[in-house]
Amino acid sequence: MVAGALARAGPGADRLSALGITNQRETTVLWDRATGKPVHNAIVWQDTRTSALCRQLGGTDGQDRFREPTGLPLASYFSGPKVAWLLDHVPGLRARAERGEIAFGTMDSWLVWRGPSPSPGRWCGGSATSSASSVTPTRSSRWPRAWRTTGAYIVPAFSGLFAPYWRSDTRGVVTGLTRYVTKAHLARAALEATSRQTRVVVDAMHQVSGGADHDPEGRLGHDQEQSADAAPGGRAGRAGDPPPVSETTCLGAAYAAGVATGVWSSLDELRAHWQRDAEWAPVMEASVREGKYRNWRRAVEKSLGWTEDDDTP
């Protein structure tokens, strides 16, 4: 893959200034310090097997037990409980760790450990989180745009709900079904769920920041990954400006690596590279949008508390 990218780009490896890495930032791996080999399969960010441990750690205080000192709730998403699970479940691993034989990190840390010497170039890490919404029709399928949901709502909590809920006991639900709901309505409901997941995070950010908005026009930047069908900004009630680059996470890692090594001198220079490929604007009436959002939040409530012990599949 790296060789192919270099061949397409043109310059040889000797002209590389840095290597930027994107990763699913809470996917956790433990490895042997001497060999660099993982001692067990990595636990991915969506894995919920640590939910029971999080409940145990929370005790009577619940998931907010450590929020004040750490700023984070107890949730299966984070890497700390994943490390504890591996130490408790892989025979002999805790003893090896206590002897200093084991290293721990997310995937970028392990790649840096296993990678070549950082001289003359440097390694720079980026982070990426896969969308929590994985029910999405192919981009070539245009029929979802022409349909309404006919009252159907989808909450794609297939591995729990992450920010801002941090509930691993949730599961995906479909509500509002009638005999008139077709697969096209469900496809549209899945796309609209993406927008509402975006909105609930934006609303939480506003609450934490006291209502401050980074963009005074209230616009959302997003990549093209789902924009062709979902237009998440528009359906969340905000204008959106997708750039021509579909994988902006990878682009961001490349930018971070380039700034770190002097390829670009400043963030202002990077801003000059930004281009608008399209523009999405809200078209749904505000009253309709708010009603749908309230109903979707009701559907979210239905998804809560479906599991009590996430250690079993």
Side-chain angles (χ1 to χ4, degrees):
M1 184 180 296
V2 174
L6 287 172
R8 289 192 298 271
D14 59 334
R15 296 189 58 192
L16 284 179
S17 175
L19 177 63
I21 300 172
T22 68
N23 68 291
Q24 295 178 342
R25 56 190 170 208
E26 295 296 335
T27 296
T28 302
V29 63
L30 274 66
W31 66 89
D32 187 301
R33 284 180 174 271
T35 66
K37 294 182 178 180
V39 296
H40 195 270
N41 294 337
I43 300 183
V44 301
W45 65 282
Q46 291 181 311
D47 197 306
T48 60
R49 77 184 77 177
T50 60
S51 296
L53 174 60
C54 290
R55 288 193 296 271
Q56 178 184 344
L57 291 172
T60 58
D61 295 324
Q63 69 174 169
D64 289 332
R65 180 181 178 185
F66 302 109
R67 189 186 287 267
E68 184 174 350
T70 67
L72 299 172
L74 279 164
S76 60
Y77 171 77
F78 299 112
S79 57
K82 301 182 194 303
V83 176
W85 192 95
L86 287 168
L87 293 176
D88 289 340
H89 289 80
V90 178
L93 185 56
R94 184 175 291 276
R96 293 187 63 193
E98 291 174 351
R99 293 195 298 267
E101 300 174 4
I102 304 299
F104 140 72
T106 48
M107 298 307 297
D108 51 342
S109 305
W110 178 70
L111 288 171
V112 170
W113 185 282
R114 290 297 305 270
S117 169
S119 193
R122 303 184 205 172
W123 289 75
C124 297
S127 62
T129 302
S130 299
S131 170
S133 172
S134 59
V135 179
T136 305
T138 60
R139 184 170 300 172
S140 61
S141 180
R142 296 184 176 273
W143 46 264
R145 303 189 198 182
W147 289 87
R148 297 183 180 277
T149 65
T150 314
Y153 293 87
I154 289 180
V155 180
F158 305 120
S159 298
L161 285 173
F162 297 103
Y165 299 101
W166 301 116
R167 293 285 297 268
S168 60
D169 61 342
T170 60
R171 287 297 178 265
V173 299
V174 181
T175 64
L177 292 181
T178 67
R179 63 182 299 180
Y180 306 107
V181 173
T182 69
K183 61 182 180 182
H185 298 124
L186 292 177
R188 172 67 179 243
L191 294 175
E192 291 194 2
T194 304
S195 304
R196 291 175 187 124
Q197 287 178 300
T198 301
R199 174 170 173 179
V200 75
V201 172
V202 172
D203 286 351
M205 292 168 63
H206 274 225
Q207 183 178 0
V208 170
S209 63
D213 200 328
H214 179 69
D215 188 330
E217 297 182 5
R219 307 181 75 85
L220 287 176
H222 52 87
D223 63 23
Q224 291 278 30
E225 190 66 23
Q226 287 186 319
S227 296
D229 280 326
R235 294 199 179 97
R238 289 176 169 236
D241 298 316
V245 178
S246 63
E247 292 291 346
T248 52
T249 300
C250 296
L251 181 64
Y255 279 157
V259 169
T261 55
V263 175
W264 295 288
S265 60
S266 67
L267 295 180
D268 288 334
E269 186 177 355
L270 292 182
R271 291 188 183 99
H273 287 250
W274 183 85
Q275 296 178 355
R276 176 186 294 160
D277 186 64
E279 182 174 2
W280 297 104
V283 294
M284 188 180 292
E285 290 184 12
S287 60
V288 175
R289 183 171 61 244
E290 293 304 311
K292 282 177 166 286
Y293 184 57
R294 285 194 300 271
N295 285 340
W296 185 78
R297 294 293 295 268
R298 290 172 60 197
V300 169
E301 293 297 320
K302 301 295 184 183
S303 76
L304 302 178
W306 275 94
T307 62
E308 293 183 358
D309 188 353
D310 288 301
D311 280 344
T312 57

